[in-house]
Amino acid sequence: MPLPKPPTKRASRLEPTAFAASLAVSKNQAVPVAAHAPEKTTAPPLAQATQAAQAAPAVTRAMPNGNRRRSASAAPAAPEMRAPANLALVAPATSAAPLRPVPPPRPKAAKPKSNEAPKLFVLDTNVLMHDPMSLFRFEEHDIYLPMITLEELDGHKKGMTEVARNVRQVSRDLDTLAASLKSSTLEEMAKGLPLDSTGHREAGGKLFFQTQLIDTPLPQGLPQGKADNQILGVVQALKVQQPQREVVLVSKDINMRIKARALGLPAEDYRNDKTLEDSDLLYTGVQALPADFWERHGKTMESWQQGGITFYRISGPLVPSLLVNELIYLEAPGAAPLYAKVTEITGKTAVLRTLKDYGHQKNAVWGVTARNREQNFALNLLMDPECDFVTLTGTAGTGKTLMTLAAGLSQVLDERRYSEIIVTRVTVPVGEDIGFLPGTEEEKMGPWMGALDDNLEVLARGDSSAGEWGRAATNDLVRSKIKIKSLNFMRGRTFLNKYVIIDEAQNLTPKQMKTLITRAGPGTKIVCLGNLAQIDTPYLTEGSSGLTYAVDRFKGWAHSGHVTLARGERSRLADFASEVL
């Protein structure tokens, strides 16, 4: 802390008569004594303040002892004069401006506490249905559950759907929190339930239930019996009852948030389920090298060949921005393009491996060749036996399903790397019972698998030399190696040596995605396909989709890869329609 500036006026020494008079009057009259003509003093300003602090209590303690005074002619007059001289020095120091700013920091530190008071979040029922762990994801803030929310949870607890399972989990968590109370009285409930009592240390707030009837009139245009309007009434009443804190409604229902804002109530979306706030920040799996790559990294680069594949070991400023299994390219006019994959990152060095050109007809996969750079990258990942998990995203017509099926048939029928192909997809609404459709499980999934049939027709038509009978036999063989499974019966299964295709993965929640990926046994490869612009599941967005969750969590793992396909190759009509419509 910097030292205070010295006082502008020097203090004068008191005469013995003034000292004797100052003891008979109040202490406050010692301040104007310092207004005499200044004298030279030898003590520095900090020493003066220190002496004054030590001398002041000594004088106040001497006054109650009978106000003893000595005459001016007495011998020990000098010690008596030192104390009041120091007392007189206090006047300029305490009245000077530089010493006043020392105590103010304490109240300044206490002011933000009112601004940092924990908020009170009123949860809508759909938040708990969407994420059963949402109770513990509001950090130090408090949570309020209206009674109508508990009623709606009770109405959705039956069934085998994902929503019913989430509701049952929320009910179990609420029961565990309520059981931690010493008594079940209203006074005890009104104090709030500590959310960290069940082991969730990240939750530092409390849970409040609605323990009394709240009668708040809503605008006449809103029917009073609707559950959403009752929750809005609770929020409006809490805002009046607790003006010292911020009350916020949290809902996944857009219309609910619109009505709340129309009534002047703060409302927010539940954002803790989002992997990314902006979908543009999603990992693309592909990175373009700078134009001066060879000039900046050529001097320290090492290269060697192994099995017809060229490897490069580079070091430099580019390495920190790379991830394992990230696909990189360098295309410059007049020079041979470089297409490679990052296979290893050790410290400040990275190893690049050149890719196989699947755009050439001699490297065709089940008759399919890559038509652009991203498709070539995707086929390299699909045909790599060391890559156990592949995610492909892109708009309609980019060839996701066709390339995945071609790579799967090639590795099942030609290379015998996998025993069979398993195809599954979400039936929207997610997890609904498929029993209303006739036939077996595979026949019931048939209407949802039109994309699979279309791509199989393209793959079977490629072999024109086999004739009609040959193509029919090939179709039967292909069909025997492809099994169509429903998502509802995946729990508890283990796939051994299988090539699993999860189509329309953008409609999966993160929990469903985890359920499917953890089915993989030894020798199994899982491929997730999806278009994040076509999400049909309620309450899922591009940022909270299970496909986004998987891409973000698996990036950089040595046995996974991702490619965002950018260019459509379906037809000129489809490409033009996707741009202008």
Side-chain angles (χ1 to χ4, degrees):
M1 185 177 71
L3 294 176
K5 296 180 180 180
T8 56
K9 295 183 179 181
R10 301 231 179 235
S12 61
R13 298 176 66 88
L14 281 175
E15 297 295 331
T17 56
F19 170 61
S22 66
L23 292 177
V25 296
S26 62
K27 296 181 294 182
N28 295 334
Q29 295 186 4
V31 175
V33 178
H36 294 299
E39 287 185 7
K40 292 184 179 179
T41 56
T42 55
L46 185 60
Q48 293 176 5
T50 308
Q51 291 175 6
Q54 296 174 355
V59 174
T60 54
R61 285 196 298 268
M63 290 177 63
N65 295 334
N67 290 338
R68 291 174 295 181
R69 291 179 291 191
R70 296 180 184 267
S71 62
S73 60
E80 290 285 336
M81 291 176 63
R82 289 194 188 100
N86 291 333
L87 181 61
L89 288 174
V90 179
T94 54
S95 60
L99 289 182
R100 287 182 181 174
V102 177
R106 291 182 181 174
K108 284 183 180 179
K111 284 182 181 178
K113 290 184 179 179
S114 60
N115 298 332
E116 295 178 0
K119 299 179 182 179
L120 184 62
F121 287 105
V122 182
L123 298 191
D124 195 3
T125 314
N126 48 47
V127 176
L128 299 172
M129 292 178 178
H130 175 69
D131 183 8
M133 298 300 295
S134 59
L135 289 170
F136 311 103
R137 292 184 175 173
F138 287 88
E139 297 179 349
E140 75 276 8
H141 303 291
D142 298 334
I143 294 175
Y144 189 93
L145 290 184
M147 195 58 66
I148 190 62
T149 298
L150 301 178
E151 282 292 327
E152 287 192 301
L153 288 176
D154 187 64
H156 291 84
K157 66 182 180 182
K158 297 180 181 179
M160 298 301 295
T161 63
E162 189 71 19
V163 170
R165 283 191 287 267
N166 291 344
V167 170
R168 290 194 291 268
Q169 181 177 343
V170 171
S171 300
R172 288 191 291 267
D173 291 338
L174 293 177
D175 181 59
T176 305
L177 288 170
S180 62
L181 289 177
K182 296 180 181 179
S183 62
S184 299
T185 60
L186 290 179
E187 293 78 9
E188 187 76 15
M189 294 289 289
K191 296 178 182 177
L193 312 179
L195 289 169
D196 58 356
S197 60
T198 56
H200 298 275
R201 298 300 178 189
E202 70 277 5
K206 291 184 177 181
L207 173 65
F208 295 91
F209 290 101
Q210 181 182 348
T211 57
Q212 58 184 355
L213 180 64
I214 297 178
D215 187 14
T216 303
L218 289 172
Q220 295 183 356
L222 296 177
Q224 300 292 328
K226 195 174 181 181
D228 288 355
N229 299 335
Q230 293 185 35
I231 296 176
L232 291 175
V234 171
V235 177
Q236 191 168 355
L238 289 174
K239 190 177 179 182
V240 175
Q241 291 178 4
Q242 304 187 26
Q244 73 280 3
R245 68 192 304 184
E246 188 176 355
V247 181
V248 183
L249 171 66
V250 181
S251 175
K252 298 292 293 182
D253 189 353
I254 298 177
N255 292 331
M256 178 81 159
R257 298 198 298 269
I258 294 174
K259 286 196 293 185
R261 294 189 182 105
L263 296 175
L265 303 175
E268 295 180 4
D269 187 12
Y270 178 68
R271 297 190 298 266
N272 288 331
D273 62 329
K274 293 185 179 180
T275 307
L276 298 172
E277 289 292 336
D278 189 358
S279 59
D280 293 336
L281 301 177
L282 182 64
Y283 173 64
T284 61
V286 179
Q287 183 177 158
L289 295 176
D292 59 348
F293 171 74
W294 296 112
E295 289 78 6
R296 299 184 66 180
H297 299 81
K299 296 180 180 180
T300 59
M301 183 183 297
E302 303 175 22
S303 64
W304 67 94
Q305 286 192 346
Q306 182 178 346
I309 300 174
T310 305
F311 292 85
Y312 299 96
R313 180 178 281 111
I314 64 171
S315 60
L318 182 67
V319 175
S321 65
L322 298 177
L323 292 172
V324 176
N325 270 5
E326 189 173 13
L327 300 154
I328 60 177
Y329 67 93
L330 176 60
E331 296 175 343
L338 171 65
Y339 302 108
K341 181 177 72 171
V342 182
T343 59
E344 180 185 342
I345 296 179
T346 307
K348 297 182 180 180
T349 63
V351 177
L352 309 181
R353 171 186 173 182
T354 57
L355 299 178
K356 193 174 182 180
D357 183 16
Y358 285 101
H360 199 280
Q361 190 62 39
K362 67 176 182 179
N363 296 326
V365 179
W366 202 259
V368 173
T369 57
R371 293 188 178 183
N372 55 52
R373 180 181 60 237
E374 284 77 17
Q375 286 189 354
N376 186 34
F377 288 161
L379 284 174
N380 272 276
L381 293 177
L382 292 170
M383 297 297 293
D384 187 359
E386 294 297 321
C387 203
D388 299 334
F389 183 72
V390 179
T391 50
L392 301 179
T393 60
T395 58
T398 51
K400 301 183 297 292
T401 308
L402 182 64
M403 289 189 300
T404 304
L405 270 177
L409 291 173
S410 175
Q411 294 174 91
V412 169
L413 296 176
D414 297 343
E415 301 177 13
R416 304 293 179 91
R417 187 175 295 158
Y418 307 104
S419 59
E420 63 181 0
I421 299 175
I422 294 179
V423 183
T424 185
R425 62 166 290 176
V426 185
T427 55
V428 181
V430 181
E432 284 294 328
D433 189 9
I434 59 173
F436 294 102
L437 296 172
T440 62
E441 176 190 358
E442 202 154 317
E443 291 173 342
K444 291 175 182 179
M445 290 296 294
W448 301 98
M449 288 297 170
L452 175 67
D453 296 333
D454 297 340
N455 287 280
L456 285 178
E457 183 180 348
V458 173
L459 293 174
R461 195 176 55 194
D463 190 7
S464 58
S465 61
E468 191 68 28
W469 289 97
R471 284 196 295 272
T474 302
N475 283 336
D476 292 341
L477 178 62
V478 167
R479 289 287 183 179
S480 66
K481 291 295 183 180
I482 298 178
K483 297 292 189 296
I484 302 173
K485 300 296 180 183
S486 171
L487 187 68
N488 292 10
F489 311 113
M490 288 294 180
R491 194 180 297 274
R493 295 197 61 180
T494 301
F495 298 126
L496 301 175
N497 202 33
K498 300 289 194 298
Y499 187 91
V500 182
I501 302 174
I502 305 174
D503 200 9
E504 302 294 335
Q506 77 274 3
N507 289 319
L508 289 169
T509 64
K511 185 177 179 181
Q512 290 172 324
M513 181 65 76
K514 179 181 178 181
T515 301
L516 288 177
I517 297 176
T518 51
R519 302 305 100 209
T524 293
K525 186 182 189 116
I526 295 183
V527 183
C528 292
L529 315 175
N531 180 11
L532 291 172
Q534 295 180 350
I535 297 179
D536 304 317
T537 305
Y539 306 135
L540 271 189
T541 61
E542 295 181 13
S544 60
S545 170
L547 182 58
T548 305
Y549 180 75
V551 170
D552 187 69
R553 294 303 175 94
F554 275 93
K555 66 180 180 183
W557 187 47
H559 302 286
S560 69
H562 170 71
V563 176
T564 300
L565 300 167
R567 217 174 86 193
E569 299 289 350
R570 180 169 286 169
S571 67
R572 57 190 179 190
L573 172 60
D575 294 343
F576 183 74
S578 62
E579 292 178 5
V580 300
L581 297 182

